[in-house]
Amino acid sequence: MIQDYLNQGIIEKVRNTEANIHKPVYYLPHQAIKREGRVTTSTRIVFDAASDQTNELSLNDCLWPGPNLNLNLLDVQINFRLNRIAISSDIRQAFLQICLADKHKDAVRFLWTESNSSDKKMPSLQIYRFNRITLGVNASQFLLAATVKHHIEKYRKSHPITVQHLDSFMYVDDWITGQDTREEALLISLHAENIMKEAGMEMRKWISNDTTLMSQWAAKGFDTYPIDTSVSVRSNMTKVLGLAWQTLDDCLTLVTKGLLEFISTNKNTKRFLLQAIGKIFDPLWIDFLLHYKNELPHSGTQEE
């Protein structure tokens, strides 16, 4: 993964580490996160710009995160289901497509060990720095949203409907929208693909509840989400902003895996009940959280 970052110009080696550069310098802690069941990269490196030492500031403490330009999650989810044909896609490595000014690069350094399998000595420690913004820095989401909004504005006159959908239904790097006809859905997706490509951003994992539209996307060279129609429809599941979406029978579900094991301890307290509810990811807060929180004062659970 590090070599891939180097090849893409996302990071670079810091050659002269002893020089007095008169710039802010910060080293990002990091760890590997393995994500089961991912179609794309199953392991990724997570950087922590909120890490600090005692009585010292973190990188995030020193940055202005910018205004929240993300859309209301409820609005995006509801609009997604107002259309007969649903469309979902995301931007590949969205944050890593935005360049950093040279004066800021040393504030996002990190350490990495390099070893040679033929060398029995201890691995050497190499210092790298980012050339692009990275998730984990508190200003990253603002910078991504502001960049996308600035770019798509150039196409508002030529493609007003597509730009309106990109502006109104892009949540961070996920585009969740739809149309009432297959022809409209194909046209808006073609325009969106080309508009984002002009910014050097690749739209990927295109998926829809319409298999014919997905075939049309594949014929146009789109990076489509793999769907296996030869197996049970319930096995064809992806996620839309955290909610499980079974595309072939076109329904959104709440995944409760692990919940039964948690509640089997049978602690009869309100805190435990809230913890159990929190294990069900329901960004719309429709089926569980509001209902159970309203019922809590009347429940027979113990206080804690």
Side-chain angles (χ1 to χ4, degrees):
M1 183 176 293
I2 292 298
Q3 188 59 50
D4 182 51
Y5 277 10
L6 278 170
N7 294 341
Q8 294 185 60
I10 293 171
I11 61 174
E12 63 185 10
K13 290 184 177 181
V14 178
R15 302 295 181 181
N16 189 359
T17 60
E18 303 298 327
N20 189 358
I21 60 175
H22 302 291
K23 298 176 185 177
V25 176
Y26 181 85
Y27 287 84
L28 294 164
H30 54 80
Q31 62 178 326
I33 300 295
K34 187 173 180 61
R35 300 173 294 177
E36 300 293 341
R38 300 288 294 193
V39 173
T40 52
T41 308
S42 60
T43 303
R44 66 187 180 102
I45 306 171
V46 176
F47 295 88
D48 183 12
S51 176
D52 59 8
Q53 293 180 324
T54 304
N55 299 323
E56 298 289 343
L57 297 175
S58 70
L59 176 60
N60 281 350
D61 290 331
C62 301
L63 295 177
W64 180 58
N68 182 10
L69 299 181
N70 287 327
L71 303 167
N72 182 281
L73 189 59
L74 179 60
D75 291 343
V76 177
Q77 289 278 21
I78 289 177
N79 175 78
F80 177 64
R81 302 314 304 156
L82 290 178
N83 304 283
R84 187 177 69 84
I85 296 180
I87 299 171
S88 174
S89 180
D90 71 25
I91 304 171
R92 187 182 77 88
Q93 295 183 325
F95 295 96
L96 298 177
Q97 307 309 312
I98 303 174
C99 295
L100 278 173
D102 186 67
K103 62 182 179 180
H104 297 148
K105 293 179 181 179
D106 288 292
V108 281
R109 291 184 177 187
F110 66 96
L111 302 175
W112 196 263
T113 55
E114 296 183 336
S115 60
N116 189 330
S117 58
S118 62
D119 190 351
K120 296 182 180 180
K121 296 180 180 179
M122 292 290 291
S124 60
L125 196 63
Q126 177 63 51
I127 299 176
Y128 292 94
R129 66 179 188 176
F130 274 93
N131 294 322
R132 318 278 179 85
I133 67 172
T134 181
L135 190 62
V137 177
N138 61 2
S140 294
Q141 290 200 15
F142 164 73
L143 292 172
L144 174 62
T147 300
V148 170
K149 287 179 179 295
H150 175 76
H151 170 70
I152 64 176
E153 196 61 34
K154 297 184 293 184
Y155 301 88
R156 190 171 291 277
K157 289 185 178 180
S158 58
H159 303 297
I161 296 177
T162 304
V163 170
Q164 189 269 331
H165 277 251
L166 286 170
D167 192 30
S168 300
F169 307 120
M170 181 79 76
Y171 190 84
V172 189
D173 58 349
D174 291 307
W175 191 42
I176 313 296
T177 187
Q179 291 288 293
D180 288 328
T181 69
R182 187 178 299 134
E183 292 74 19
E184 291 173 327
L186 178 61
L187 185 62
I188 198 173
S189 54
L190 285 170
H191 289 165
E193 171 92 347
N194 292 331
I195 288 173
M196 298 308 295
K197 188 178 294 184
E198 288 295 318
M201 294 183 176
E202 176 191 348
M203 302 293 288
R204 63 170 187 175
K205 294 195 294 186
W206 289 88
I207 190 167
S208 174
N209 56 349
D210 188 297
T211 55
T212 301
L213 176 61
M214 291 198 63
S215 298
Q216 292 175 326
W217 283 340
K220 297 289 185 180
F222 280 35
D223 182 333
T224 56
Y225 196 97
I227 292 293
D228 185 0
T229 56
S230 65
V231 296
S232 168
V233 293
R234 294 191 179 276
S235 66
N236 290 284
M237 184 182 295
T238 184
K239 283 191 174 181
V240 178
L241 299 181
L243 282 178
W245 180 29
Q246 296 172 359
T247 56
L248 295 184
D249 54 356
D250 195 18
C251 65
L252 296 173
T253 61
L254 299 177
V255 177
T256 58
K257 182 180 180 181
L259 178 62
L260 292 179
E261 290 84 350
F262 181 78
I263 63 176
S264 63
T265 56
N266 199 28
K267 294 181 181 178
N268 192 26
T269 65
K270 290 181 179 179
R271 177 177 296 178
F272 179 78
L273 180 57
L274 286 173
Q275 288 175 337
I277 295 170
K279 288 185 174 293
I280 304 171
F281 184 73
D282 180 13
L284 300 185
W285 288 20
I286 293 176
D287 292 323
F288 288 91
L289 190 53
L290 292 180
H291 174 71
Y292 280 107
K293 288 192 74 173
N294 287 335
E295 291 296 322
L296 278 177
H298 310 291
S299 67
T301 57
Q302 302 170 6
E303 295 287 349
E304 184 177 288

